[in-house]
Amino acid sequence: MSTTPTGEDGRPLVTTAMAAYSLGMKPASFRSWARRHGVTAATYQRTPGTTGQAPALWDLADLTEAMRAKNAA
């Protein structure tokens, strides 16, 4: 039984670094891009036993929709 969270299309959610890499960006640039395109993190998940801000997990389907909207404009 997997506890990996999945997105609306069934693919696993990805970290900010993975999402940024998929678009050829650095994480800080990706976060700015996401903000400008109205894309928000699907969830936040902290590893048990750690402290601090929980890392964002992104749905690849949301990123795909934002890219399609950008290319259609």
Side-chain angles (χ1 to χ4, degrees):
M1 180 172 163
S2 176
T3 60
T4 304
T6 57
E8 61 188 61
D9 61 358
R11 291 185 285 183
L13 299 179
V14 297
T15 64
T16 300
M18 293 168 71
Y21 179 81
S22 72
L23 296 176
M25 301 177 185
K26 294 187 185 268
S29 297
F30 169 75
R31 287 189 291 270
S32 295
W33 176 89
R35 220 177 356 266
R36 287 192 310 273
H37 290 84
V39 179
T40 58
T43 190
Y44 297 85
Q45 185 174 7
R46 181 180 296 124
T47 306
T50 60
T51 59
Q53 184 175 355
L57 295 176
W58 303 84
D59 189 344
L60 292 173
D62 293 340
L63 302 180
T64 302
E65 284 179 31
M67 290 300 294
R68 285 187 181 145
K70 174 187 164 192
N71 292 335

